[in-house]
Amino acid sequence: DAGITQSPRYKITETGRQVTLMCHQTWSHSYMFWYRQDLGHGLRLIYYSAAADITDKGEVPDGYVVSRSKTENFPLTLESATRSQTSVYFCASSEEGKAEAFFGQGTRLTVV
Amino acid sequence: GNSVTQMEGPVTLSEEAFLTINCTYTATGYPSLFWYVQYPGEGLQLLLKATKADDKGSNKGFEATYRKETTSFHLEKGSVQVSDSAVYFCALRGSARQLTFGSGTQLTVLP
């Protein structure tokens, strides 16, 4: 299917475990982003990527790792999950030269 | 840095009422401005956008005008429907590629 897809949609993990959230887009957009959504904070940028093998920190990068070996994929890894990382995570992509970004359906992550 | 301030919610209206959700921003240069909508259990969808001063974005009966003099991008709709119940986010994109979001406004429309 065309578009941007995230997996899994829901995930429960234990404190201290490593977990990876997947993001795949079929548009070949240059830019990809990871946001987390928490009540009262709107969406906050975790990491973004301008192209394959180019990534940069956003507003709240601590505790997260990203990679982008292929243009279409942008996985987000929590190296050692903490309860404060319980959140809804959104991946987005944006085409070079265009202002708007397009979002995936989100992954609801609960760390217990 | 860039920031977006949105009207606090939640907002509850009756069907066919007039809607305004205020949004003001702080940014250097000439940002692009957006309204995104999030329906329950879904991701964010682009509702409308404006890329330069005095532009009016419009979609599905919603409108917002880019006012550089007041650094505002207020969302309006003349007659809301129950199906408009959602969370609305104001956002901007400055010289960097990432979006900066407001905290969101929950809208509930009652029949």
Side-chain angles (χ1 to χ4, degrees):
Chain A
D1 289 345
I4 183 164
T5 55
Q6 294 182 234
S7 61
R9 290 293 311 277
Y10 304 91
K11 176 74 176 178
I12 300 174
T13 192
E14 294 179 340
T15 301
R17 292 210 179 241
Q18 181 181 80
V19 60
T20 296
L21 310 184
M22 305 301 293
C23 179
H24 175 79
Q25 52 107 355
T26 60
W27 294 305
S28 298
H29 285 172
S30 300
Y31 290 87
M32 294 188 76
F33 310 88
W34 275 107
Y35 291 87
R36 59 177 289 173
Q37 182 180 25
D38 304 289
L39 271 176
H41 291 280
L43 279 81
R44 293 180 290 176
L45 182 68
I46 304 170
Y47 270 95
Y48 66 102
S49 168
D53 297 322
I54 300 175
T55 62
D56 209 346
K57 295 179 180 179
E59 182 184 354
V60 289
D62 292 343
Y64 303 95
V65 175
V66 293
S67 62
R68 194 162 176 212
S69 57
K70 294 183 178 181
T71 299
E72 61 267 29
N73 296 324
F74 191 40
L76 176 73
T77 297
L78 287 67
E79 294 184 295
S80 178
T82 65
R83 289 199 179 92
S84 65
Q85 293 177 309
T86 292
S87 186
V88 181
Y89 291 85
F90 287 101
C91 180
S93 70
S94 177
E95 187 178 357
E96 180 71 45
K98 298 284 189 181
E100 64 266 32
F102 297 91
F103 284 78
Q105 294 283 72
T107 295
R108 182 175 294 276
L109 176 68
T110 302
V111 182
V112 298
Chain B
N2 297 337
S3 68
V4 176
T5 301
Q6 252 183 270
M7 173 178 171
E8 291 286 333
V11 174
T12 303
L13 296 173
S14 297
E15 204 165 26
E16 299 184 2
F18 184 84
L19 169 71
T20 300
I21 301 177
N22 290 337
C23 171
T24 57
Y25 67 89
T26 301
T28 54
Y30 302 92
S32 295
L33 301 174
F34 306 87
W35 278 100
Y36 279 84
V37 59
Q38 184 180 31
Y39 298 103
E42 298 186 10
L44 278 74
Q45 300 175 23
L46 179 65
L47 180 60
L48 53 85
K49 68 178 182 182
T51 58
K52 60 182 187 295
D54 300 324
D55 267 2
K56 178 186 282 188
S58 61
N59 186 26
K60 299 180 181 179
F62 291 89
E63 293 183 340
T65 301
Y66 188 161
R67 301 285 187 202
K68 188 164 177 61
E69 64 275 14
T70 54
T71 62
S72 65
F73 193 54
H74 305 321
L75 182 68
E76 296 182 337
K77 186 174 185 183
S79 177
V80 294
Q81 305 300 311
V82 172
S83 58
D84 293 328
S85 298
V87 181
Y88 292 82
F89 291 93
C90 185
L92 71 82
R93 167 168 284 160
S95 56
R97 296 298 299 177
Q98 60 266 36
L99 289 163
T100 300
F101 285 88
S103 57
T105 301
Q106 171 78 56
L107 171 67
T108 301
V109 181
L110 302 176

